[in-house]
Each structure stands twice: as C-alpha cells, then as structure tokens.
C-alpha cells in the first residue's frame, strides 16, 4: 500500500446502495471509483488497479461471480462481495471463485468498514512481509512453516500432521473465509462429504490446543454452513 488513500472499486448497479457505500468510503478517508456493470467493473479493475473491490453479485449484464473469476485470472486483489443473496450456496460460490469475504445486505456501515480494514491488513501483510513469510506471527501464535513448528505464547504446540496442515492453511489465508470444500481439497485432497465430519473433529482438537476458550474462539472463526476463517489479531 502506498502513502496515498487506499483506492476502492465499488461495483453496484443500484444507485442508492452505491451512493451509501461511496459516501461511507469518502467520509472514512478512502478514495473510490465505481462501476454499475460487470463489464465496467472488469475494465476498471484492470486499468485502475484498486486496493480492494466491493462487489455486488446481481449485476445487469452478467453475474458478479464471473467478475471474480475474470479478476482472479490476473490479480489477487482483495474482493469483498456485498450481496442481497443470503443463501449459503451463493456465498460458497463467491468464495470458491476467489472472493475474500462477503457482506449480506442490509449491512451496517461499521460492518463494512471492519471488513475493509481486514482486507487492507491482508494486503499489507502480503506486500510487507513477502521476504519473511517463512515465519507467521499472529497474536500469541507463531508458525515456522519450514521447520513444521507452531508455538503459542512461546510454548511449542503438539499438533498432529493434519492439525498442523489445517493451521497452516488458515494462517496462509489469514482474514479470509475458507469454504469447507476448499479446506477438504487442500488438506485431504478430496471433497467427499464424509471428510466433512473429520474436518469438524480436527478443527475441534486444533481449537483445544490454540484457543484459551474453545467455545469462544479467538483465532479461528466458524462460518456456519460455509467454512472457517483465521482472524488477524490486532
Ligand atoms: Ca444489484
């Protein structure tokens, strides 16, 4: 991120919602450009290289999911989906296509700003720490990927190989919601339904090892019916 204000690309065909978002951005020190169609969104993403894309899914020319796929073919810029669709299947499609996060309409301004901050933290993490990404640090949690060691408050965690893989996957995607399907594919190499039960079991045992209170997790957030996210600890 440069010293200038972060640039947001707001993709929304509903003028009232678009104005609400852009006014919020302006008030909170962000620059923005906007697009009302999927075509215009892809063109702006390519020419203006925004820091974050805020993307509506229901667009007049074609679906926002296609915008995600197109942008992902050349860029890892954060994409936050803002959609009226409340079905888990739609959120999962968007996340699997490469979106980083989602907000369901109606959303609060506070919620929007929190998601934006998370997306920007993610960005600065990748641009600032590219050279030192062999060691991951988040709050009291540290992972030495190469050595295969994770510590919490300086004490080594005794993790099974699957727990370690799971922890690394979440850490490498910190602040991003990962779908069950994605995790199953990456950790177990199969998206068979039967592995979902294993994922829940391993997530439970992992949480017992890294969370002070596993019923109120600090590091790993559950998105019911969708997946998990490792939170970036301030
Ligand atoms: Ca729309």
């Amino acid at each position: 991120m440069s010293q200038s204000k972060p640039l947001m690309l707001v993709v929304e065909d509903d003028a009232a919602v678009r104005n609400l978002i852009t006014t919020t951005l302006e008030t909170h020190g962000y620059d923005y450009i906007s697009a009302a169609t999927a075509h215009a969104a892809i063109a702006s993403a390519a020419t203006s290289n925004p820091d974050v894309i805020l993307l509506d899914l229901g667009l007049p020319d074609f679906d926002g999911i296609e915008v995600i796929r197109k942008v992902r073919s050349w860029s890892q810029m954060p994409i936050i989906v803002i959609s009226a669709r409340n079905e888990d299947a739609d959120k999962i499609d968007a996340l699997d296509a490469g979106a980083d996060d989602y907000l369901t309409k109606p959303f609060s301004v506070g919620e929007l700003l929190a998601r934006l901050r998370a997306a920007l933290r993610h960005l600065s993490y990748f641009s600032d720490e590219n050279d030192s990404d062999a060691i991951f640090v988040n709050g009291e949690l540290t992972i030495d990927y190469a050595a295969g060691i994770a510590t919490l408050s300086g004490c080594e965690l005794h993790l099974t190989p699957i727990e370690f893989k799971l922890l690394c996957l979440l850490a490498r995607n910190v602040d991003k919601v990962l779908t069950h399907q994605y995790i199953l594919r990456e950790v177990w190499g199969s998206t068979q339904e039967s592995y979902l039960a294993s994922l829940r079991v391993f997530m439970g045992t992992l949480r017992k090892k890294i969370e002070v209170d596993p019923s109120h997790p600090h590091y790993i957030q559950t998105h019911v019916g969708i997946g998990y996210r490792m939170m970036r600890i301030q």
Side-chain angles (χ1 to χ4, degrees), residues 18-35:
R18 196 170 60 234
N19 288 340
L20 167 71
I21 298 172
T22 55
T23 306
T24 302
L25 294 176
E26 208 166 16
T27 315
H28 291 85
Y30 296 101
D31 272 340
Y32 67 86
I33 44 176
S34 56

Side-chain angles (χ1 to χ4, degrees), residues 60-74:
D61 46 352
F62 56 92
D63 202 277
I65 301 273
E66 283 308 311
V67 175
I68 301 172
R69 293 206 179 99
K70 285 262 167 30
V71 171
R72 279 291 169 265
S73 69
W74 86 83

Side-chain angles (χ1 to χ4, degrees), residues 41-119:
I42 292 165
S44 294
T47 54
S48 306
N49 192 30
D51 291 301
V52 179
I53 302 180
L54 295 169
L55 177 70
D56 178 31
L57 292 182
L59 295 167
D61 46 352
F62 56 92
D63 202 277
I65 301 273
E66 283 308 311
V67 175
I68 301 172
R69 293 206 179 99
K70 285 262 167 30
V71 171
R72 279 291 169 265
S73 69
W74 86 83
S75 169
Q76 288 303 311
M77 63 180 75
I79 300 175
I80 302 174
V81 165
I82 302 183
S83 175
R85 299 178 196 169
N86 199 17
E87 295 297 318
D88 286 349
D90 292 316
K91 293 173 185 169
I92 290 168
D93 282 350
L95 294 166
D96 276 341
D100 294 86
D101 204 351
Y102 60 83
L103 266 176
T104 305
K105 291 175 188 169
F107 56 88
S108 73
V109 164
E111 208 177 351
L112 171 64
L113 293 170
R115 301 304 172 87
L116 271 181
R117 284 192 299 271

Side-chain angles (χ1 to χ4, degrees), residues 91-160:
K91 293 173 185 169
I92 290 168
D93 282 350
L95 294 166
D96 276 341
D100 294 86
D101 204 351
Y102 60 83
L103 266 176
T104 305
K105 291 175 188 169
F107 56 88
S108 73
V109 164
E111 208 177 351
L112 171 64
L113 293 170
R115 301 304 172 87
L116 271 181
R117 284 192 299 271
L120 290 167
R121 276 201 303 275
H122 191 55
L123 198 67
S124 63
Y125 171 72
F126 278 109
S127 52
D128 299 347
E129 299 179 35
N130 265 346
D131 295 336
S132 59
D133 67 359
I135 307 277
F136 170 84
V137 179
N138 188 20
E140 294 295 314
L141 179 69
T142 301
I143 304 171
D144 183 333
Y145 293 120
I149 294 169
T151 64
L152 190 69
S153 308
C155 297
E156 187 175 343
L157 293 165
H158 298 287
L159 302 177
T160 67

